[in-house]
Amino acid sequence: MNPAAPELLAGLRAILGAEGVLTDAADCAPYLADHRRLYQGRALAVLLPRSPGEVSQLLALCNARRVGVVPHGGNTSYCGGATPDESGRQVVLSLRRLNRLRSVNAANYSLTAEAGCVLAQVQRAADEAGRFFPLSLGSEGSCQIGGNLSTNAGGTAVLRYGMMRDLVLGLEVVLADGRVLEGLSGLRKDNTGYDIRSLFLGAEGTLGVITAANLKLFPQLHSHATALAAVADVRAAVMLLGRLRDASGDRVSSFELIPRIAIELTTRHIEGVRDPLERPYPWYVLCELSSSSATEGLDAVLEAALGAALGEGAVLDAAVARNERERAALWRVRENIPEAQRREGVGLKHDISVAVAALPDFVARAAQWLSGNVPEGRLIAYGHVGDGSLHFNLSAAPGAAPEPFLARADAVRRAVHDLVHEFGGSFSAEHGIGRLKVGELERYASPVELALMRAVKRAFDPHGIMNPGKVLREE
Ligand code: MLT
Ligand code: ZN
């Protein structure tokens, strides 16, 4: 143990109380591994503050002692963003006890939540106030608002409402030295100099700790029309998106691509999932229109648009949900793709985006490279086609040995990300950088961008205590 550790722990206990400083191995274990089990870290302690004041004091102490602090939310990062390193010299700062919903302002269409609130709790609070909070993710029952903000989370409603960044009216942030940036006023217009707060969104806890946020709410949704449409290829999917946006007065709130193999995996591995259509098709889109009006006739709009597309051969078949149960069944297919892939066995994940219109060419080029170079892999490309964002994953083909397949991970990642770069896209559309993609950021970000990021990091965190080694390599 670091010789200064007992003194540091005593200082932390004086701030947080004995129960706010975990050091027992079993108590700490859930905070030391990421949920994909890519990393197993160690830590001096896990800290459980109850208030922004406590966060401020503990950061001031850690900054003075140059102790690395790893902010930790619902531990749903795909990139190891909330896991400490192996040195045992860092502390984990869990936000889970900072979970008060401070206020809901229905008239202002906003609410203020602390960082440790679970996303589903915020969605419920909005609903109870007759409002709607649109961020929607597979992990919404466990991910926390602080993590959603710090990773600029995306999900299945970005097409209509934007990413987490677009849902923020204000932030309260504790800086590395313990100073507090108060910014919860909730103004919709405020052009007073640099937008400092936006730097914390997507910074993955490397610039400071977000302790609370003022979030935008929207009118509640009172009607949905949902369908699974079969299409021949990704080009037909992208064309259908434009068609539905035009026909519906831009009421498309989700538009998710599903390949045939995902239907096979979800029906095989997830109880209660059935193929919604009678025959197999190469690709599908789960499309949903939604409106705050109960009388807009969205079903008729969707059916008419799909009917016309069917008549022209642009859509091959479609299942339209006739009630909530059928709607939930369609969403169950989409939401269980990651879990079904996990149960199928080893896989490789890439979280990419390109311009929506470029997706068909990107998928065709990448699929061609994979079939020529990785015959032991099966492509599972699914996700948010309406945002140009796909989970471009691979699973080992049946009978393929896992080790040689996994040994190709670096080569496959390089080929996929190089192609994304050639298309002017992003190698991390929605899951962030964490520890996993630090090297990728160094490779693909421009020197100007990297220099600015490093300058910002030095300005906000001169001693490098905030989530060291995440996003940017330690200097
Ligand atoms: C999703 O869209 O399902 C997730 O972002 C990706 C995943 O869980 O692999
Ligand atoms: Zn996703």
Side-chain angles (χ1 to χ4, degrees), residues 78 334 338 349 382 384 391 430-431:
Y78 273 98
R334 162 63 186 93
K349 282 176 178 282
Y382 66 92
H384 323 292
H391 300 298
E430 57 172 11
H431 294 164

Side-chain angles (χ1 to χ4, degrees), residues 433-444:
I433 302 295
R435 179 166 162 185
L436 184 65
K437 296 186 185 169
V438 170
E440 300 300 279
L441 185 66
E442 285 172 353
R443 182 182 177 95
Y444 295 110

Side-chain angles (χ1 to χ4, degrees), residues 49-130:
R50 284 187 183 280
S51 67
E54 289 184 358
V55 175
S56 162
Q57 289 180 60
L58 77 84
L59 281 181
L61 179 61
C62 290
N63 194 46
R65 303 290 161 84
R66 313 290 192 254
V67 173
V69 178
V70 181
H72 189 96
N75 204 21
T76 59
S77 170
Y78 273 98
C79 303
T83 307
D85 68 13
E86 294 79 19
S87 69
R89 289 171 178 267
Q90 301 180 332
V91 292
V92 172
L93 165 47
S94 165
L95 278 307
R96 78 171 167 78
R97 295 206 300 186
L98 222 83
N99 61 354
R100 262 185 338 116
L101 193 75
R102 292 198 194 155
S103 62
V104 182
N105 188 335
N108 199 48
Y109 282 77
S110 65
L111 63 72
T112 299
E114 291 185 341
C117 290
V118 170
L119 172 55
Q121 177 191 352
V122 169
Q123 293 167 336
R124 261 195 315 277
D127 192 55
E128 282 159 14

